[in-house]
Amino acid sequence: MSADVLAPPASSRPTGATRPGRALRVLAWLSFVAEVVIIGTGGAVRLTGSGLGCSQWPLCTPESLVPTPELGIHGLIEFGNRTMTGVVGLLALAVLVLTLLHLRARRELIRTGWFALGGVVLAAAAMALTRSFVVAVAVALVAVIAAAIVTVRTAPARRDLLVLSWLVVVGVVAQGLVGGITVLTGLNPFIVGFHYASSVLLVVLTAAFLVRAYDTPGPRARVVPKWFAILTHVTTLVLAVTIGAGVLTTSNGPHSGDANVIRTGFDATVLAHVHSWPGYVLLALVLALTVAAARLRLRPLPWLTALLAVIAVQVVVGIFQARNGLPELLVGIHMVLAGLSAAAFTVVVLRLKRPTAD
């Protein structure tokens, strides 16, 4: 029996069950790039000691939204990163709206609008009652999460794209909240570290959206040996441990965002060695996966090759910066490369399966 006979007629297929159009893909790429860029601008804030360049949040000073001349370059750097957050948010929202339009989910789009209006009203009420912008943003975050749950449950098709686009929107709002708490707590090292880790997670989510946007919709089947898939997932854990150890190391290093910030109390020299151990294991695992993929001609090979190159550069940069007093530029490059490593590995994991319609 032919595949055409087994396939449902076009009229009965889920609305929007196709690859997204060019406009959505372009915006998705811009969203991904913006998430990588904001890791760089956030790193600049930390590495130049500008974490408290704006002493207040969401205002820069108690009297001004924007930095005043008295704040100097530190105020400009911190405010520039805050402005980048707005760019990231607008791009995430645009991707969500175009995803809903692609799905022809008119009812879900209208619901999203109502939730947005309700969230603004509730956030304003919370602000009036508590005089706390943190509480107001937290209320808005709850409204965003509720909107995501409702619209995803009733989406007609491509829930994978809708879930990913909503997760990015929720993550951006949460990032804004965490960023505010970071300033209000005087750059608590643990919160700063969590802020960076969540930025890497948003890079992963935007990368996953891009992969699924270019894939044919429908069921997916594993196209690699089972042992290869298991080893890949083990490598995922090692990558997470490596990034986590790196965050903890940086929290105790000389670049915490402000010279007066108290570190977490751990020995940064010891942590640098601890961070390197899973890094070397990660390099070995990715090398093994790349060799195996090349010998077996597996689908993830191109991205494993790219990942291997990024991690190799990461190792070189990490060794050089550790032996030369942690120069700011190299630390910033190390931070951005960690995000790109996570993005490349996301593609590798998603390439373990192939749409059965291909």
Side-chain angles (χ1 to χ4, degrees):
M1 187 176 292
S2 69
D4 291 337
V5 174
L6 293 175
S11 59
S12 67
R13 293 174 188 169
T15 304
T18 59
R19 287 190 181 98
R22 182 178 180 182
L24 178 52
R25 293 198 302 269
V26 169
L27 275 173
W29 271 107
L30 290 175
S31 181
F32 169 76
V33 171
E35 294 292 356
V36 175
V37 169
I38 203 170
I39 289 180
T41 60
V45 170
R46 189 169 185 173
L47 298 170
T48 59
S50 304
L52 297 177
C54 288
S55 60
Q56 302 295 313
W57 182 85
L59 301 178
C60 189
T61 70
E63 298 81 22
S64 174
L65 172 65
V66 299
T68 59
E70 293 77 17
L71 296 177
I73 187 65
H74 293 307
L76 291 174
I77 293 173
E78 164 65 7
F79 188 76
N81 186 56
R82 293 187 184 188
T83 303
M84 190 64 203
T85 301
V87 173
V88 166
L90 289 174
L91 287 170
L93 186 60
V95 169
L96 172 63
V97 171
L98 281 188
T99 299
L100 288 167
L101 290 174
H102 166 68
L103 301 180
R104 300 178 186 175
R106 183 173 177 271
R107 181 176 59 180
E108 285 73 18
L109 183 58
I110 293 173
R111 284 178 176 174
T112 299
W114 280 112
F115 269 104
L117 178 60
V120 170
V121 172
L122 290 175
M127 182 69 182
L129 291 173
T130 65
R131 302 291 181 182
S132 170
F133 201 80
V134 170
V135 174
V137 176
V139 170
L141 178 60
V142 172
V144 171
I145 294 172
I149 293 172
V150 171
T151 54
V152 168
R153 290 182 63 184
T154 58
R158 293 310 306 263
R159 289 188 181 181
D160 55 339
L161 295 180
L162 192 55
V163 167
L164 288 168
S165 59
W166 265 119
L167 284 174
V168 174
V169 172
V170 170
V172 170
V173 177
Q175 273 283 69
L177 179 61
V178 174
I181 295 173
T182 301
V183 174
L184 297 178
T185 57
L187 304 183
N188 180 285
F190 289 109
I191 298 178
V192 171
F194 176 77
H195 197 46
Y196 171 77
S198 54
S199 295
V200 173
L201 179 58
L202 284 172
V203 170
V204 166
L205 291 172
T206 51
F209 185 96
L210 279 168
V211 174
R212 298 310 297 267
Y214 281 90
D215 272 349
T216 302
R220 296 161 57 83
R222 179 163 53 86
V223 291
V224 299
K226 185 176 181 179
W227 65 264
F228 187 93
I230 293 173
L231 185 59
T232 301
H233 293 309
V234 170
T235 307
T236 303
L237 178 61
V238 176
L239 175 63
V241 171
T242 303
I243 292 176
V247 170
L248 190 58
T249 302
T250 306
S251 297
N252 291 273
H255 307 302
S256 63
D258 189 270
N260 298 318
V261 171
I262 299 175
R263 304 322 194 262
T264 57
F266 297 103
D267 188 326
T269 304
V270 173
L271 285 174
H273 289 290
V274 173
H275 172 46
S276 68
W277 300 336
Y280 291 133
V281 173
L282 176 65
L283 178 61
L285 286 172
V286 173
L287 178 59
L289 287 170
T290 305
V291 171
R295 289 179 62 87
L296 300 175
R297 299 182 181 180
L298 300 179
R299 190 170 184 245
L301 177 59
W303 285 97
L304 276 169
T305 304
L307 176 64
L308 182 62
V310 173
I311 293 177
V313 173
Q314 271 285 67
V315 170
V316 173
V317 171
I319 293 173
F320 189 84
Q321 69 176 14
R323 294 181 177 179
N324 291 274
L326 300 177
E328 289 83 356
L329 179 60
L330 287 182
V331 175
I333 291 173
H334 203 56
M335 293 172 66
V336 173
L337 286 176
L340 292 176
S341 298
F345 197 79
T346 299
V347 183
V348 170
V349 172
L350 293 176
R351 284 288 181 266
L352 297 177
K353 293 183 177 181
R354 182 192 297 275
T356 55
D358 280 359

